[in-house]
């Protein structure tokens, strides 16, 4: 099983698809990497040579933020938004949608399961 930057990539997939197992590399970035290194992207990842694997790892390490480094960068950006108290930071802090989505009828992914609040008492019940 080939290993790039400490991550096992699937051996039986085409190498350009297998490279997307790295957090932060999608299909378009994967194709750009293979194009710049002049490696056949359709070759199965188990058939890549040690030289090709080391060239891939070096290219990714040099030009892309992936895995832990990218996650740390994202976490720091969100922390900065919270610290300066901007609108987006407040939305992150309250666990609400950040990018302008409606919250009256949707947003269950961010808000979590419904918390039912007791309704108003009717006039008949009060008598």
């Amino acid at each position: 099983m080939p290993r790039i930057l400490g991550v096992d990539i699937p051996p039986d997939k085409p190498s350009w698809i297998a490279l997307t197992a790295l957090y932060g590399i999608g299909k378009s970035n994967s194709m750009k990497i293979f194009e710049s290194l002049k490696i056949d992207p359709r070759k199965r990842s188990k058939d890549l040579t040690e030289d090709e694997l080391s060239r891939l790892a070096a290219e990714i390490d040099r030009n892309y933020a992936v895995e832990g480094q990218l996650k740390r960068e994202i976490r720091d950006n969100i922390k900065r938004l919270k610290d300066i108290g901007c609108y987006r930071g407040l939305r992150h802090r309250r666990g609400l949608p950040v990018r302008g989505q409606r919250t009256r009828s949707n947003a269950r992914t961010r808000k979590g399961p419904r918390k039912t609040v007791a309704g108003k008492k009717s006039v008949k019940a009060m008598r």
Side-chain angles (χ1 to χ4, degrees):
M1 183 172 281
R3 219 169 148 74
I4 295 179
L5 301 175
V7 177
D8 292 331
I9 60 173
D12 293 326
K13 292 187 177 184
S15 52
W16 76 279
I17 294 289
L19 202 59
T20 62
L22 291 169
Y23 181 82
I25 295 190
K27 292 178 180 179
S28 62
N29 277 342
S30 178
M31 285 306 284
K32 285 179 193 173
I33 291 168
F34 280 100
E35 194 175 296
S36 70
L37 295 175
K38 302 205 179 1
I39 299 174
D40 181 21
R42 295 171 301 188
K43 191 188 255 188
R44 300 282 168 179
S45 56
K46 66 182 175 188
D47 298 332
L48 292 172
T49 64
E50 287 298 320
D51 177 52
E52 290 171 335
L53 286 172
S54 64
R55 284 174 36 213
L56 277 170
E59 175 74 14
I60 292 167
D61 199 31
R62 185 172 45 249
N63 296 324
Y64 296 90
V66 291
E67 292 295 325
Q69 179 186 359
L70 179 60
K71 289 177 183 175
R72 191 176 318 106
E73 209 172 290
I74 292 168
R75 187 180 61 240
D76 290 346
N77 287 339
I78 292 172
K79 185 179 181 318
R80 179 181 52 83
L81 291 172
K82 289 179 181 179
D83 289 344
I84 64 176
C86 69
Y87 181 76
R88 281 175 57 205
L90 294 176
R91 303 297 283 183
H92 273 291
R93 196 178 301 154
R94 292 179 183 162
L96 294 169
V98 178
R99 297 183 178 177
Q101 298 92 331
R102 67 182 295 129
T103 56
R104 182 170 176 176
S105 60
N106 291 322
R108 281 291 135 212
T109 302
R110 284 292 294 189
K111 291 167 76 174
R114 286 186 170 84
K115 300 171 218 65
T116 308
V117 178
K120 276 189 172 179
K121 301 277 186 192
S122 68
V123 177
K124 291 180 183 176
M126 295 178 85
R127 289 184 188 184

